[in-house]
């Protein structure tokens, strides 16, 4: 190796330099280990091979070596010494070529295809329910992640069973907690935490149930939920919607603690604001502050120990035996960090987190059980030298069985092969031998695998099929049925909700154009939203939604055009400068301060829309702006009176004397259609929905006509998102003919409105979901409840 490295392997020069001194480096490494009285596994084997002749074993007549497989050179030297001395007895299965010596015949083979992990587990459940299958049976799990789903399915009927394999630490709740801690630190910026990652960490079940203020975990839980409500905007505060937050800002925000204290008082939990503030400071001191300045493994170990102690003492961990075992393993990892030789060496916090995560990723903990009776659940390695009548193996897929780790060490693969170390081939042969030895000893073998775009059957299955195809002389030798779930289809009959005692409440409601439009779209949605007052939970951290942007633009236009109320608007350069200065200030206050880096694209979009809006606005013939954000309230006379409230964005007086109602639309803008069916009066909710679409403009005109009697009136949708300058942004409600026939025109819409309102309050007309628009149902917050 050294001579070849001086010529040069096809690797970087720095690697060739190390390889050219390989013997020197190896000797120096061993010498350093001996001085420290510390030994790697490889060095222990090497020393054993060198000193085996000094072993004192005169009192031993026989030494049995059983089920050995692919020995290292050092192991061969030790075994050969005892063999030559006449004391060794070797016991093994198979011939010289391990895997090929195991006969694949003599057992009943069944293949079962799944489409994911849970379908495989359900397939195993059905196999176990076969008569007599649970006697002398093993379930082999090459992937230990499947243990919990499997036990969940079979524990109720499998009787006695034993799990003799490790479960990965990375699948545990404490591991997920540390992932949240590391994620919060990785997204921290200028001393501020990304609000979503902050909430993910403090909302972790092991955190929000800590007993920090007395013995009641509900105190911490309520406090955390109030912080969440403040940050996502449920409670309207200055912190709501902030993309990044400072710990001290939350700790000094009295409103959070007052809200939490009031909620707890209603639940008869006595706690003071200072106690809540101390509890939050304790949380921050455990989960955030210490990890900001970690610079070596020693510091990391100390902080880790403190956190583990708090979790054991004040969390719900002790209520779950599995978690206690996990914490025990984490304590062992913490002690390893405290003892490492480089514990005082300085690293970046990110590197230390990676070292810790890599350590945890390879940690396993064992279940307790008895291997002497019952169903056995084992890993592939645990089946060595054991025979079973019934063998069920899950995850017989490539990359799982065989599971081959592609190592990328400092020493290149070419060098490893020159040293006789071909790990990939050896590991594949070992796993093939274990697989074939296990199934060869069985009567019934069930191989369960996942078939999908990402996964394919293992080469071991393909080999078995190929051998049987050659033996039987045909291709179709074995069917592989697909695992299926038994599905009960829920009836999609429309659920009808009777009005019963709600009728008087409905008749006394104060309606709005939006509430009537909601009933037009779906009566069931009207029922949940306006009778029960249910709303989808707002989350400002998820980014600005259409409603929030619409509110921003409406507020901007009201403030900017307010200077022209009862005047003719003059959109000169002075006004435009003022307008965009106002936009900058308002945007910075409502979005940039809270959303930081993700707001620039939104601002560019808003500025672009407003530029097009002002350009279109400057070409309109507006003599005077009469109203801005005017609210109308009163009774609408339709056979009987209905109470209504409506808020109109703007009312203009045009140059031709028409009073024009303007409704800004930042989304889709469609005006009602005056159809023949509508005029003929053969009403149904569906027909009115498809024709009228929305009662906003008809109701706005109804109130405007009462305010400006004798005037020519019209209404329009101002489609702000329509940026095509040539198409125009105004969508008029009435044509000139409609204006001249105002009474007939408005009477038709009011009769349609009366029909809808009568249907809403009719006791014999139930609320039924309207599924004619699947896309609307897909995004409806009540779709899961409407039946």
């Amino acid at each position: 190796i050294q001579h070849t490295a001086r010529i040069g392997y096809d690797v970087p020069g720095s690697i060739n330099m190390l390889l050219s001194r390989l013997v020197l480096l190896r000797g120096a490494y061993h010498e350093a280990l001996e001085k420290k009285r510390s030994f790697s596994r490889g060095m222990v084997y090497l020393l054993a091979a060198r000193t085996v002749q000094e072993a004192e074993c005169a009192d031993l007549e026989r030494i049995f070596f059983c089920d050995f497989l692919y020995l290292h050179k050092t192991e061969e030297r030790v075994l050969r010494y005892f063999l030559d001395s006449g004391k060794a007895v070797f016991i093994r299965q198979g011939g010289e070529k391990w895997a090929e010596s195991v006969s694949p015949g003599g057992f009943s083979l069944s293949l079962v295809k799944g489409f994911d992990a849970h379908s495989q587990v359900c397939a195993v459940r059905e196999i176990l329910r076969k008569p007599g299958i649970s006697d002398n049976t093993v379930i082999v799990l090459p992937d230990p992640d499947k243990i919990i789903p499997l036990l969940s399915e079979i524990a109720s009927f499998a009787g006695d069973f034993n799990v003799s394999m490790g479960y990965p630490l990375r699948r545990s709740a404490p591991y997920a907690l540390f992932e949240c801690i590391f994620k919060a630190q990785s997204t921290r910026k200028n001393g501020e935490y990304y609000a979503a990652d902050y909430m993910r960490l403090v909302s972790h079940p092991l955190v929000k149930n800590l007993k920090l203020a007395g013995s009641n975990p509900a105190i911490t839980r309520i406090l955390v939920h109030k912080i969440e409500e403040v940050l996502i905007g449920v409670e309207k505060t200055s912190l709501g919607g902030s993309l990044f937050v400072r710990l001290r800002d939350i700790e000094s925000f009295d409103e959070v603690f007052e809200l939490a204290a009031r909620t707890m008082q209603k639940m008869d939990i006595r706690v003071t604001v200072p106690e809540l503030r101390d509890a939050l400071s304790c949380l921050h001191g455990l989960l955030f502050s210490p990890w900001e300045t970690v610079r070596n493994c020693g510091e990391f170990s100390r902080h880790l120990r403190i956190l583990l102690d708090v979790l054991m003492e004040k969390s719900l961990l002790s209520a779950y035996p599995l978690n206690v075992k996990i914490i025990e393993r984490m304590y062992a990892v913490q002690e390893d960090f405290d003892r490492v030789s480089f514990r005082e060496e300085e690293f970046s916090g990110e590197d230390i987190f990676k070292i810790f995560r890599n350590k945890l990723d390879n940690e396993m903990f064992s279940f307790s059980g008895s291997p002497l009776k019952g169903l056995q659940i084992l890993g592939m390695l645990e089946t060595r030298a054991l025979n079973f009548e019934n063998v069920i193996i899950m995850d017989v897929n490539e990359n799982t069985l065989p599971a081959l780790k592609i190592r990328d060490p400092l020493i290149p693969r070419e060098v490893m092969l020159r040293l006789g170390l071909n790990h990939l081939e050896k590991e594949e042969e070992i796993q093939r031998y274990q697989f074939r030895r296990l199934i060869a000893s069985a009567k019934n073998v069930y191989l369960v695998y996942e078939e999908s775009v990402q996964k394919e059957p293992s080469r071991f299955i393909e080999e078995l099929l190929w051998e049987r195809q050659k033996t039987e002389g045909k291709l179709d030798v074995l069917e592989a049925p697909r695992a299926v779930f038994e599905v009960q289809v829920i009836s999609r009959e429309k659920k009808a909700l009777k009005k019963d005692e709600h009728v008087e409440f409905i008749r006394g409601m104060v309606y709005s154009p939006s509430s009537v439009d909601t009933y037009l779209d779906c009566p069931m949605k009207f029922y949940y939203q306006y009778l029960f007052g249910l709303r989808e939970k707002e989350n400002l951290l998820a980014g600005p939604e259409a409603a929030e942007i619409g509110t921003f633009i409406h507020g901007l236009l009201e403030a900017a055009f307010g200077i022209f109320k009862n005047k003719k608007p003059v959109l000169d350069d002075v006004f435009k400068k003022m307008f965009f200065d106002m936009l900058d200030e308002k945007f910075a206050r409502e979005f940039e301060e809270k959303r930081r880096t993700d707001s620039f694209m939104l601002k560019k979009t808003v500025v672009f829309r407003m530029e097009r809006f002002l350009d279109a606005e400057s070409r309109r013939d507006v003599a005077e702006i009469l109203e801005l954000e005017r609210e109308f309230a009163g009774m609408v006379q339709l056979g009987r009176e209905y109470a209504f409230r409506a808020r109109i964005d703007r009312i203009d007086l045009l140059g031709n004397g028409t009073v024009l109602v303007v409704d800004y639309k930042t989304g889709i803008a469609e005006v009602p259609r005056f159809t023949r069916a509508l005029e003929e009066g053969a009403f149904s909710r569906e027909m009115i929905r498809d024709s009228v679409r929305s009662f906003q403009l008809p109701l706005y005109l109804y109130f405007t006509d009462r305010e400006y009697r004798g005037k020519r009136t019209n209404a329009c949708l101002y489609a702000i998102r329509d940026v095509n300058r040539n198409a125009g942004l105004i969508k008029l409600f009435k044509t000139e003919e409609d204006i001249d026939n105002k009474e007939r025109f408005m009477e038709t819409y009011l009769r349609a409105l009366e029909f809808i309102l009568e249907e809403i309050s009719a006791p014999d007309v139930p609320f039924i979901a309207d599924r004619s628009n699947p896309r609307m149902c897909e995004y409806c917050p009540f779709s899961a409840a409407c039946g």
Side-chain angles (χ1 to χ4, degrees):
I1 298 294
Q2 289 193 165
H3 289 310
T4 308
R6 291 188 183 112
I7 299 172
Y9 286 100
D10 188 17
V11 294
S14 57
I15 304 297
N16 272 316
M17 182 192 71
L18 293 175
L19 294 176
S20 67
R21 296 168 175 80
L22 187 59
V23 176
L24 176 65
L25 289 171
R26 182 170 180 262
Y29 172 61
H30 287 170
E31 183 180 348
L33 288 179
E34 288 179 358
K35 284 181 180 179
K36 287 190 169 188
R37 307 299 296 169
S38 177
F39 302 94
S40 66
R41 180 182 177 187
M43 191 173 178
V44 169
Y45 277 57
L46 181 62
L47 293 176
R50 288 175 177 174
T51 60
V52 66
Q53 295 180 359
E54 302 171 15
E56 296 180 2
C57 51
D59 56 335
L60 298 178
E61 294 183 7
R62 287 287 184 271
I63 303 174
F64 293 89
F65 294 92
C66 304
D67 199 36
F68 49 90
L69 190 63
Y70 275 118
L71 302 175
H72 298 297
K73 296 295 184 182
T74 51
E75 293 172 312
E76 287 182 10
R77 187 179 298 180
V78 172
L79 268 66
R80 181 170 295 279
Y81 168 77
F82 288 112
L83 181 65
D84 292 343
S85 66
K87 292 191 174 187
V89 177
F90 294 169
I91 300 176
R92 52 167 289 188
Q93 293 175 290
E96 290 300 319
K97 289 187 175 294
W98 300 91
E100 287 77 359
S101 64
V102 179
S103 171
F107 55 82
S108 170
L109 177 62
S110 300
L111 302 180
V112 182
K113 294 186 293 190
F115 50 86
D116 62 4
H118 295 283
S119 61
Q120 287 192 68
V121 167
C122 290
V124 172
R125 178 195 63 198
E126 297 307 311
I127 294 169
L128 289 177
R129 283 178 169 165
K130 294 182 178 181
I133 198 69
S134 60
D135 298 331
N136 195 10
T137 298
V138 64
I139 301 175
V140 181
L141 297 179
D143 181 2
D145 289 358
K146 306 292 194 304
I147 293 178
I148 300 301
L150 176 65
L151 295 182
S152 299
E153 283 295 328
I154 69 172
S156 61
F157 68 88
D160 293 332
F161 61 87
N162 169 61
V163 181
S164 294
M165 60 183 297
Y167 187 68
L169 211 61
R170 67 177 182 276
R171 301 285 295 178
S172 66
Y175 180 92
L177 172 61
F178 283 102
E179 282 286 282
C180 291
I181 291 174
F182 302 155
K183 184 65 183 300
Q185 292 301 321
S186 66
T187 55
R188 181 169 57 92
K189 183 178 180 183
N190 299 326
E192 297 181 323
Y193 285 91
Y194 182 46
D197 289 333
Y198 171 88
M199 280 312 310
R200 191 176 294 113
L201 176 51
V202 297
S203 299
H204 189 282
L206 293 179
V207 173
K208 69 179 182 180
N209 289 296
L210 286 172
K211 301 171 185 176
L212 296 179
S215 59
N216 192 347
I219 294 175
T220 308
R221 189 163 59 250
I222 293 169
L223 176 60
V224 167
H225 286 312
K226 286 302 172 185
I227 294 172
E228 180 184 22
E229 289 177 2
V230 165
L231 290 182
I232 68 176
V234 175
E235 298 284 354
K236 304 301 181 184
T237 67
S238 58
L239 280 181
S242 298
L243 189 66
F244 285 85
V245 293
R246 293 182 185 274
L247 300 182
R248 64 172 180 267
D249 289 345
I250 301 177
E251 292 175 9
S252 61
F253 196 68
D254 292 338
E255 197 168 343
V256 170
F257 306 110
E258 291 166 359
L259 287 167
R262 284 199 295 270
T263 301
M264 291 181 213
Q265 190 174 10
K266 295 175 184 176
M267 300 170 64
D268 201 25
I269 299 175
R270 302 301 173 190
V271 64
T272 64
V273 168
E275 287 174 329
L276 292 175
R277 185 176 281 107
D278 290 343
L280 183 60
S281 297
C282 182
L283 271 186
H284 289 169
L286 279 173
L287 305 172
F288 298 94
S289 307
W291 312 101
E292 296 176 1
T293 56
V294 168
R295 289 296 175 264
N296 59 56
C297 290
E299 287 182 17
F300 184 90
S301 174
R302 288 193 294 273
H303 297 317
L304 177 59
R305 179 83 189 196
I306 293 171
L307 178 55
L308 293 177
D309 288 345
V310 171
L311 290 176
M312 283 299 294
E313 180 184 352
K314 298 188 176 185
S315 78
L316 301 176
L317 269 175
S318 57
Y320 304 97
L322 205 61
N323 281 340
V324 175
K325 280 182 167 288
I326 293 165
I327 290 295
E328 287 176 358
R329 292 301 308 147
M330 287 193 167
Y331 270 118
V333 173
Q334 178 265 321
E335 290 172 0
D336 289 344
F337 266 70
D338 204 38
R339 289 194 299 260
V340 293
S341 58
F342 54 87
R343 65 187 304 277
E344 300 300 331
E345 292 288 335
E346 188 166 314
F347 292 88
S348 69
E350 183 180 359
D351 287 338
I352 296 175
F353 293 151
K354 285 181 180 178
I355 294 170
F356 182 66
R357 183 186 289 112
N358 290 340
K359 177 70 174 171
L360 291 186
D361 284 344
N362 295 311
E363 288 291 323
M364 312 282 283
F365 66 92
S366 300
F367 289 88
S368 300
S370 170
L372 302 179
K373 63 177 182 178
L375 173 69
Q376 298 296 306
I377 301 174
L378 310 175
M380 186 58 75
L381 285 176
E382 285 76 22
T383 65
R384 287 173 293 188
L386 298 179
N387 294 340
F388 297 90
E389 185 176 322
N390 306 300
V391 173
I392 305 169
I393 307 179
M394 289 179 58
D395 286 303
V396 192
N397 287 89
E398 279 296 301
N399 297 326
T400 306
L401 190 66
L404 303 177
K405 294 182 180 178
I406 308 298
R407 296 176 176 85
D408 186 23
L410 182 65
I411 302 176
R413 178 167 169 76
E414 180 184 355
V415 174
M416 300 295 281
L417 293 176
R418 287 283 299 275
L419 292 170
L421 301 174
N422 190 348
H423 292 296
L424 284 179
E425 288 188 13
K426 186 174 289 188
E427 184 62 33
E428 200 255 7
E429 286 193 37
I430 291 172
Q431 293 187 45
R432 177 184 281 108
Y433 167 74
Q434 291 167 342
F435 171 78
R436 294 173 74 97
R437 191 216 61 78
L438 177 64
I439 65 175
S441 65
K443 288 185 179 179
N444 303 298
V445 176
Y446 301 88
L447 304 182
V448 185
Y449 62 94
E450 180 178 331
E451 186 179 65
S452 63
V453 176
Q454 294 81 20
K455 293 189 177 182
E456 58 182 344
S458 167
R459 66 191 73 176
F460 296 166
I461 289 180
E462 301 294 348
E463 288 171 1
L464 291 175
L465 289 175
W466 173 235
E467 288 164 1
R468 294 208 170 190
Q469 287 168 348
K470 288 190 295 182
T471 301
E472 299 183 22
K474 59 180 182 180
L475 293 177
D476 298 328
V477 293
L478 199 61
E479 289 292 329
R482 178 177 287 274
V484 296
F485 291 107
E486 184 179 341
V487 178
Q488 294 182 347
V489 180
I490 298 175
S491 172
R492 296 304 291 172
E493 294 181 4
K494 292 184 177 181
K495 182 167 69 176
L497 296 177
K498 295 181 179 180
K499 294 169 183 174
D500 299 330
E501 69 274 10
H502 300 307
V503 173
E504 290 304 317
F505 174 80
I506 294 171
R507 288 175 176 169
M509 283 178 58
V510 177
Y511 291 91
S512 66
S514 297
S515 64
V516 178
D517 290 349
T518 300
Y519 184 85
L520 273 185
D521 291 334
C522 179
M524 192 68 80
K525 185 175 181 181
F526 174 89
Y527 173 82
Y528 285 119
Q529 187 167 327
Y530 290 97
L531 267 68
F532 274 73
L534 300 179
R535 292 287 188 276
E536 191 171 15
K537 188 175 182 179
E538 186 179 20
N539 185 0
L540 298 180
L541 298 181
E545 303 209 3
E548 192 179 354
I549 297 169
T551 300
F552 172 83
I553 291 177
H554 277 69
L556 172 66
L557 295 179
E558 179 189 10
F561 281 83
I563 63 174
F564 297 130
K565 187 174 180 181
N566 300 321
K567 298 177 184 178
K568 178 180 177 63
V570 179
L571 307 187
D572 53 14
D573 292 340
V574 174
F575 171 80
K576 289 181 179 179
K577 182 181 184 306
M578 181 208 72
F579 181 90
F580 286 107
D581 287 345
M582 190 179 293
L583 187 154
D584 290 342
E585 180 185 348
K586 185 177 176 65
F587 193 91
R589 184 174 64 252
E590 297 186 17
F591 291 107
E592 286 179 349
E593 289 181 3
K594 298 176 180 180
R595 305 194 188 280
R596 303 295 196 279
T597 53
D598 70 341
S599 61
F600 74 98
M601 284 299 295
L602 173 61
K603 184 175 181 180
K604 283 185 174 293
T605 303
V606 171
V607 169
F608 178 76
R609 303 283 192 220
M610 290 297 95
E611 287 173 347
R612 294 292 181 264
F613 169 81
L614 292 181
D615 183 73
E617 187 71 9
S618 63
R619 289 182 272 114
R620 292 181 59 223
D621 182 17
V622 179
E624 182 182 346
I625 295 179
L626 301 175
E627 303 284 356
L628 286 168
E629 296 296 330
R630 169 72 184 277
E631 184 169 301
F632 290 89
M635 306 302 292
V636 176
Q637 187 66 45
L638 301 167
R640 67 181 184 87
E641 291 185 332
Y642 294 89
F644 265 88
R645 180 181 291 112
R647 189 178 187 86
I648 297 177
D649 295 336
R650 175 174 156 183
I651 301 177
D652 290 343
L653 176 63
L654 302 183
N656 62 5
T658 301
V659 175
L660 180 67
V661 174
V662 177
D663 186 34
Y664 298 128
K665 287 294 182 186
T666 55
I668 297 174
E670 291 185 352
V671 296
R673 293 182 301 168
F674 193 74
T675 62
R676 180 179 296 276
L678 194 66
E679 190 172 15
E680 290 175 353
F683 295 135
S684 70
R685 185 189 63 82
E686 291 77 10
M687 184 272 286
I688 296 173
R689 177 197 65 202
D690 296 337
S691 297
V692 176
R693 298 170 178 169
S694 170
F695 277 103
Q696 275 191 309
L697 296 186
L699 280 165
Y700 290 167
L701 273 181
Y702 178 87
F703 285 109
T704 305
D705 285 339
R706 292 202 310 197
E707 183 81 6
Y708 297 94
R709 296 183 184 277
K711 296 281 189 180
R712 283 168 50 91
T713 57
N714 202 349
C716 73
L717 298 180
Y718 212 135
I720 291 177
R721 84 172 193 172
D722 185 352
V723 297
N724 188 337
R725 300 174 68 177
N726 296 323
L729 306 177
I730 293 288
K731 297 185 178 182
L732 290 172
F733 177 37
K734 297 180 184 178
T735 63
E736 285 297 322
E737 182 182 351
D738 295 330
I739 295 176
D740 294 336
N741 297 281
K742 177 166 54 176
E743 291 184 4
R744 179 181 64 85
F745 180 83
M746 285 300 297
E747 182 186 353
T748 300
Y749 282 104
L750 291 177
R751 282 192 293 111
L753 176 62
E754 181 182 9
F755 177 87
I756 292 299
L757 293 172
E758 287 295 326
E759 182 175 296
I760 291 175
S761 58
D764 57 338
V765 181
F767 292 111
I768 299 176
D770 185 336
R771 298 195 182 90
S772 60
N773 188 341
R775 185 169 179 81
M776 185 175 292
C777 290
E778 182 180 350
Y779 292 99
C780 176
F782 313 113
S783 58
C786 73

